Amino acid sequence: MADGEENLTISMILGWDLTLPGKVAEHVDESAKKLKQELFDADDQVQKSEPWFGEQAGLSARNMSKGYRTDGETTIGVYAAMSKAIQEGCESIGKKIQSVRDLISDVENSDYDLFYEENGAVKSRESNWETAAPPWGIVSLYLKQGEINKLDLKLKTALWEVAQEDERVAERVSQCIEKLADSIKTEMAGNYTDQGLLDILRKYQTKDSTKDGVMWPNATQLEYVRKYYDPTFQPKFVTAEEASVLNELSLAEQVKFLTIQKDAKSFGKNNKYTDQDEDAEQDGHGDAARHMYWNARMTQEFGADWTERYTTAHEKSGGNVAAREAMDLYNNQLGRAIGLDKTADDATIRARVLDEIDHGKAVVIVNGADGKTPQLAWSKDTSVHSTITGPGVGIPLPGTK
């Protein structure tokens, strides 16, 4: 419902129409029932073919049909699980949004002429001089400030809980896709004529997290981050494994991590590839530059082992597009190799990253032959203008890392 890079605001969540994802859930459930009937009917006809289609060929066809039916039943289960996850998610998010509405009512009905801001902060239109006027004086001022503090904390917490639940529901829906049969995952990956790219696609996949994602950093870490990095920083939804690896860092190192991440995002947006085509930032040459630079800097700062464990954990979100996951993990590795040179300064790292991409060692994403399936391509063989931005969620390949 929300873009993972964008902080939710009160007006955003109050504008959500939860009937729309509810209709999606109904459609998915209906599709599951239709698929089940068609699948069973088709297999039933094949299994009845023995009297007139015997011999080994007939037996092979019937066994193949059984395999298709088994995989199809798995897909039906995935559809049903997705429908349930969406329905339950709408219900849970709806309850949390209602909590926000109730708190807004408390703010607006306060005797101190309070109002709320988009980030949940609560303030008063009444000046302290007005509040402290007789007959209650300073006592009234203390009471007002106490109510502001209480409602401010409650409303910000309620907004944060909506954001967290929104991310968790999206993750649960995506995790359903991971349960598709491996044969279906492989079939949906597309056709490759370049064996090297096919090997990368198959090798550079990670298993999906089986745990609920969490918001990072925690309260103590957030206080430090806001003091020494960015006073407006908001917690982000990450995989449980990702948070675990991040928590191995000291508070000062976590600030350094965020600084490197910010530098990498800036480099990904502003480089010679995005100068040619701003879309290169997403799944194109600019995106490859961001990942390689990011991993090089983290390797210099935290070591190659920590960086590999973190960036692998970072890709464990459910329903990750197979080509994108392979692209990121592969380009991450190229970046770590650059970062092993501890003496390289920032300008040298940037130059080496661009050189690797120019010489075709990195991979980017293009449209497959079918015009729909995102596929890997070598950066040197691919025009900056011909890369595509893959879908947000896709059919993953079986994890190997």
Side-chain angles (χ1 to χ4, degrees):
M1 293 177 184
D3 184 338
E5 294 296 318
E6 184 177 12
N7 293 324
L8 290 184
T9 64
I10 288 179
S11 61
M12 283 172 60
I13 67 168
L14 295 184
W16 286 353
D17 183 357
L18 297 180
T19 63
L20 298 179
K23 291 178 180 178
V24 171
E26 292 177 4
H27 180 70
V28 171
D29 189 55
E30 291 171 0
S31 297
K33 294 175 181 177
K34 182 178 180 181
L35 175 60
K36 181 177 181 179
Q37 188 61 54
E38 292 177 349
L39 180 70
F40 282 32
D41 288 346
D43 181 56
D44 184 60
Q45 292 299 316
V46 174
Q47 299 308 324
K48 290 178 179 179
S49 67
E50 186 172 2
W52 49 271
F53 190 33
E55 306 301 332
Q56 187 60 42
L59 179 61
S60 296
R62 287 186 287 275
N63 287 337
M64 186 179 296
S65 180
K66 286 180 181 179
Y68 289 151
R69 174 168 171 166
T70 298
D71 288 349
E73 288 173 341
T74 301
T75 302
I76 292 167
V78 168
Y79 279 12
M82 288 178 65
S83 177
K84 181 179 180 182
I86 295 171
Q87 290 174 335
E88 291 180 347
C90 287
E91 183 178 347
S92 62
I93 291 174
K95 290 179 179 179
K96 293 186 181 299
I97 291 177
Q98 186 57 50
S99 295
V100 172
R101 293 184 185 277
D102 292 342
L103 285 167
I104 287 175
S105 178
D106 291 341
V107 170
E108 293 176 338
N109 292 325
S110 169
D111 294 333
Y112 299 106
D113 196 15
L114 303 183
F115 67 96
Y116 65 89
E117 296 183 334
E118 287 292 346
N119 65 354
V122 175
K123 298 181 179 179
S124 175
R125 297 184 184 88
E126 185 180 87
S127 71
N128 288 341
W129 287 108
E130 292 174 298
T131 305
W136 294 104
I138 195 68
V139 173
S140 183
L141 183 60
Y142 281 132
L143 291 173
K144 182 183 84 169
Q145 193 58 50
E147 183 163 337
I148 289 175
N149 292 342
K150 179 185 69 174
L151 290 172
D152 182 272
L153 176 61
K154 286 186 175 181
L155 188 55
K156 285 180 178 177
T157 300
L159 181 61
W160 180 83
E161 288 180 348
V162 172
Q164 181 173 242
E165 189 64 12
D166 175 50
E167 295 283 1
R168 282 181 174 168
V169 171
E171 184 70 7
R172 288 169 189 154
V173 173
S174 297
Q175 285 174 346
C176 295
I177 303 175
E178 296 283 343
K179 297 177 182 178
L180 286 168
D182 286 353
S183 60
I184 293 177
K185 293 178 180 179
T186 303
E187 183 68 25
M188 294 298 292
N191 297 314
Y192 283 78
T193 57
D194 186 314
Q195 186 62 43
L197 291 173
L198 180 58
D199 289 344
I200 291 173
L201 180 73
R202 290 174 173 171
K203 179 181 178 182
Y204 290 87
Q205 301 291 328
T206 185
K207 294 181 179 179
D208 180 37
S209 174
T210 59
K211 305 173 183 177
D212 277 345
V214 297
M215 298 297 278
W216 185 89
N218 62 33
T220 301
Q221 295 164 334
L222 181 61
E223 182 179 0
Y224 189 90
V225 166
R226 285 179 171 171
K227 182 176 181 180
Y228 293 102
Y229 173 67
D230 180 358
T232 65
F233 185 83
Q234 295 294 324
K236 303 297 181 183
F237 191 81
V238 300
T239 67
E241 293 84 353
E242 189 176 354
S244 177
V245 180
L246 283 170
N247 289 337
E248 294 176 13
L249 301 178
S250 67
L251 292 175
E253 287 174 330
Q254 289 172 1
V255 168
K256 185 65 175 179
F257 163 82
L258 291 171
T259 301
I260 292 172
Q261 186 178 59
K262 182 179 180 181
D263 290 346
K265 287 182 178 180
S266 177
F267 184 46
K269 290 181 179 179
N270 303 285
N271 53 70
K272 65 180 186 179
Y273 308 117
T274 53
D275 286 345
Q276 297 176 54
D277 190 333
E278 62 180 15
D279 290 339
E281 179 194 353
Q282 300 293 332
D283 295 341
H285 297 69
D287 188 51
R290 175 174 65 87
H291 274 268
M292 291 170 66
Y293 174 84
W294 185 36
N295 276 257
R297 289 279 308 279
M298 287 193 295
T299 296
Q300 284 188 324
E301 190 69 31
F302 310 119
D305 175 70
W306 184 92
T307 301
E308 181 175 9
R309 288 190 295 114
Y310 169 72
T311 52
T312 300
H314 180 67
E315 298 295 333
K316 287 184 174 292
S317 56
N320 205 354
V321 177
R324 179 182 294 123
E325 188 161 299
M327 173 184 172
D328 291 349
L329 289 173
Y330 182 76
N331 291 337
N332 288 346
Q333 178 178 285
L334 297 178
R336 290 194 296 273
I338 294 173
L340 291 175
D341 181 0
K342 303 290 185 180
T343 65
D345 60 15
D346 189 69
T348 300
I349 290 175
R350 291 172 186 249
R352 288 179 180 174
V353 165
L354 298 179
D355 186 66
E356 294 267 89
I357 296 172
D358 287 345
H359 285 82
K361 294 184 178 180
V363 292
V364 293
I365 295 180
V366 297
N367 256 329
D370 61 1
K372 298 181 296 183
T373 306
Q375 292 196 342
L376 297 176
W378 297 110
S379 54
K380 183 181 180 181
D381 301 334
T382 308
S383 163
V384 172
H385 302 289
S386 62
T387 61
I388 65 165
T389 300
V393 177
I395 307 289
L397 279 173
T400 59
K401 292 182 178 294

